[in-house]
Amino acid sequence: MNNSTWFILIFLISFVGNVIANEVVLIAEDPITNLLKDTNEVVYIQTKQDIYEFTGDNPLIRRFSGKNNIDFSMAISKDNFLVTHGKNFSYIENSQEVFVDSLPELITTVKLYDSSVLLGTAGKGLFLFEPKTRIVKNIPDVKNGFVNDILLNDNAIWVAHDDGISLLNKMNLTLTQKSNVSALISKLYKARDYIIAVGEFGNLFKILNNGTFTGETQEMVHPNMKYSSNGEDIYAISPEAYYKLNTDMTFDLVATGKFHHIFTHNNVLFLAQGNKLYKMDILQEIHSKGYSNFSLYAENDSILWSGQKGKIVCLKNGTPVKTIILNSNLKDAIVSSLLVNKQNIIAGTLGDGLYVFDKDGKELKHILQKESFNKNNIIQLKVRDSLVWVAYLNGLLTFNPVDLTLVTDFNELIGNNYLFNCLPISGNTFIIGTSGNGVLIYSNGSILSLLDNHSIYSMAVKGDMVFVGTKKNGVYRINLKNNNVNQVSVLNKVLSIVPLQNGIVLATDYENLYVDDTFKFTYPLPGTGLNGLSINSGTENSSSIYLGYENGILEIDKTKLMQLGNVHFNLDKPLLFKEKVNDSNSEFKYNENTFTFNFQLYNYYNPDNNYYKYRLLGVDSLWHSTGQKSIQYFKLPSGKYRFQVSAGTHPGFEPQVIKEYAFVIKKPFWLTLWFLVLSSSVLFIIIFYGFKQREKRFIEKEKIRNARTRSELNQLKSQLDPHFLFNSLNSLAEITEEDTQAASKSLLELSDLYRGILKYKEVDLISLEKDIELASQYFRIHQLRFEDLIQIEIDLPHPESKTIVSMSCQILIENAIKHNVINRKNRLFVSIYMEDDFLVVKNNKSASYTTVNSEGIGLKNLEQRFKLLTKKSIQIINRNETFIVKLPLLDG
Amino acid sequence: MYFNKAILVILLFFVAHKIVLTQNLSGNGKVDFISVAPQETIKASSDKLRGLLDLENQTFAFVLPVQSFIGFNSPLQKEHFNEHYLETKIYPKTEFSGKMIGMDDCIKPCKKTIYAKGKLKLHGIVKVITIPVSIEWKDDIFFATADFKVPLNDFNITVPRILESKIAPEISVHVEITFTETNE
């Protein structure tokens, strides 16, 4: 670039013995006395006898060289000047002196007026010189006045003289009014909305544009102050420092330095120190809004350090816990950059060099370079690879933070640029943002210059991308891999870029907070409550972003950052009967059924204009709108639910981003499926079996009845058997002839028998005693006929304690008699005895054992009856010579 | 120009005659200057200051022959002072004349600080300066004292760079003058 040629030039035009440093914009041959601007905004430097053209960083071109010292000069147009010396003035055209004249009195000031020049004198008033006609006119309305200064204001020409200020009509230069400030005004400076009149004796007066003195005055900080105005702001220098004049007329210290002159050109501030001219726009910008938090550093999630004027404040969770006052000669030196590590706090100031404090606030080191204005103005501090990078006004160096020794000085690389910031990337790569010369990427010895002509206000690296905020051209993104540059947004004055994991937070000059590195969505600062305020510093920890502004620090919770169009909102865990729900639980008992859901859209833009839509799936699937941040459900029945909520910034929005909470209300156990199924199946089984049992019982009953009926039938049959009655009656008849008593006894027995049969005919079980009695009676009746041919033997202990199927013995005896031939040769012996729980009826069998007519039916019937009534079987043992039937007995 | 001529006439009159003007005061005084530079401090003074006050018009005029300064650190230094820096052969006198500001409310006896604004001619260069002056006016005496700095560059007094550490760029000047009412 121009660096090498520039270097040579400086060497050539400077005197031997002068220390050459890359500190200045230019070095002239002689002390600089003035900065001129012509009608085309070409800038000239005036020295004692010469006028040079100044075009930025090109070498100076001498445009005029006078014989005499120049008191005042005015650039009319290119290479056309007016130069005064004492009472004389020269008009220079195309760098040649073409006209010389003198005024009656010492010339005190000159001012360009259209293409003419107004000249003020020390006592003879105001004159007008027209270069074209070369005519000098006296302005009669300012006569005999000691003119000190002339100001071309929007609506009038202001002439400051020993008696005050006269306002002249711009057209015809006639007096319109006199300002009501009565003091000796020596200089007039135009600020944005008013005029500052500098009184001869130290006071400043604030005067409105209509000439009215507001009454506000201010004492000068130093008796010999020089001022300059760019039409908006007024800056002042004293022999020791330079200041910015605030609207309330207080002086804001910008930086120290011994300057002799101060000029403004466009929005750039120049300060002359002898032969050297310094460009001061960086510091000017930093001071332009009067911040109190100039630098911020988040040490961890609870501690935040804030660099302010003359002090460093430590905030713990938002509360100041420690203040470190800078012990410096410079009152209220601005702490422009901060770095905090485990042991120390490193603070860079504007004008007062570098401080190192320990955590208790004790000053460990103060690096202040004598006679080096630039090195004492530290713009930024960054740490990388355990090195501290210090960007000062026009240079960059690294130092070891442990022993504070200088590691590398990058001055040669920087050239003639002023830095706004530095960004170390890796050991061999760093990036510098300059004011007016874009971005310089220094990598492994090579320098790449990008974004020429841009002033770089802020930079941040995110991955392989470097985001660069410029003064007037918005934000650019530089890809470090291929050095591609893209403009990603058109913003104004991006003062701070804080890179986040998922985006970029930009604090811009006054309007917007951008939270997305696609720059599609903005977040107007008015929503934060900081209408129109400027943000100039930013830092972050793991949970919050901090932005420093005029009166405080804005803390933004990272989880709540909102992007319009892609809303971020929060759905809290629901409240159950006003109690917060246990985190891990989303199943509730049947009686835990009243829920309150709270949700919140984080809308900094218009916090009251939030709209929500919600629905509870499980109840219905319709979206309901609400403007409230809470919804309550009472006595929800058991079931599965999903509560959904969506948020937006206008009513009727389409739910896109939905937050959900799913939960289940369990049924009470008696309603649960398993229970119901089980119980109903059990019930069913019970009923089923109940029916079955009934059926069985019916069947059994039927069976019994059948059996009994048949037995009855049989009994009746047998009892009504004519043979039995015939034989019985025959026997009786025989006995009656022989033994009437016996016959009557047998008749009674027969009637008893029939009476017993009748009685027990319907009964199933009778006592053994009774049954045996009946059987015995029956047997005796038969004995009438058979006499001693049949014999019975009964051996039963306690027959009353047993129960037997009715008529069982009788039937067995009947069978025995029926089936055996009974004669002298075959006698029947029946034995009835108990064996275990059985009644045993045993009889012998005759040779001709017949089974004639209804064979076994009686026995079969008895078998059936026993089975039904006792559930026990009878045992029939049919041997050759004996027939045994064992009848099971029942107790009772 | 007119004004300057008037002053000159008055001064000439003063030198030649005594003029009776009730509100005119003439005075004698002294001037000290000191140059504090990193490598050298130079002091010199002169008691040949002559001044005239016009209290009615609130104007003043002073004159001082530059060659009358004595002191310095060496005669050679004085020689350089006269021949190279101030070129006293060409510009023998230094003059300061102008207005007194703040005298409106000063009625004898009066002690206050006023300002003197006027043209200082030195080394052939005329510059308008304003300096604060402490005055005390009581009985017959008008006493004035002032301290101000003179930037050498403003008056075309060039110091070679080699000597920059020996001569200050701004010289501190101290003036004391006593006026008495002139009587004829």
Side-chain angles (χ1 to χ4, degrees), chain A residues 15 18 29-31 48 69 71 85 87 104-106 108 122 124 146 148 162-163 184 200-201 275, chain B residues 1-4 99 101 115-119 125-128 130-131 149 153-156 158 161 170:
Chain A
F15 288 96
N18 204 24
E29 271 185 39
D30 292 307
K48 214 159 57 163
N69 284 356
D71 286 343
H85 171 71
K87 294 181 192 164
E105 189 46 88
L106 199 66
T108 55
K124 289 285 191 224
F146 204 122
N148 299 316
D162 276 359
D163 297 320
L184 203 157
E200 191 70 69
F201 309 117
N275 298 11
Chain B
M1 227 175 185
Y2 188 88
F3 194 55
N4 267 353
K99 251 192 323 211
I101 296 165
Y115 287 89
K117 175 173 180 176
K119 294 175 216 147
I125 308 290
V126 180
K127 278 266 182 302
V128 173
T130 308
I131 55 176
K149 284 197 200 297
N153 221 359
D154 283 0
F155 294 92
N156 223 10
T158 47
R161 268 185 219 204
E170 278 184 348

Side-chain angles (χ1 to χ4, degrees), chain A residues 198-218:
Chain A
V198 179
E200 191 70 69
F201 309 117
N203 281 358
L204 301 178
F205 304 89
K206 189 188 220 179
I207 304 175
L208 300 174
N209 282 324
N210 59 10
T212 317
F213 171 45
T214 64
E216 290 169 69
T217 67
Q218 176 67 260

Side-chain angles (χ1 to χ4, degrees), chain A residues 776-802:
Chain A
S776 302
Q777 279 177 333
Y778 182 75
F779 196 79
R780 276 195 293 279
I781 302 292
H782 276 286
Q783 271 182 324
L784 288 177
R785 186 173 161 228
F786 290 110
E787 289 178 346
D788 60 346
L789 292 181
I790 55 174
Q791 279 182 4
I792 191 167
E793 201 178 83
I794 301 173
D795 178 18
L796 298 173
H798 299 291
E800 69 280 1
S801 64
K802 300 280 182 205

Side-chain angles (χ1 to χ4, degrees), chain A residues 819-823 825-827 844-850 880-881:
Chain A
H819 295 145
N820 283 304
V821 173
I822 302 168
N823 53 33
K825 285 198 183 132
N826 304 301
R827 294 188 193 202
N844 57 321
K845 278 165 67 168
S846 66
S848 51
Y849 180 79
T850 61
N880 285 336
E881 300 194 343

Side-chain angles (χ1 to χ4, degrees), chain A residues 520-522 562-568 601 647-650 654 656-657:
Chain A
K520 281 210 207 85
F521 303 115
T522 72
M562 189 203 93
Q563 298 167 349
L564 285 174
N566 190 17
V567 294
H568 283 189
L601 170 68
T649 53
H650 59 276
E654 262 307 305
Q656 280 176 333
V657 179

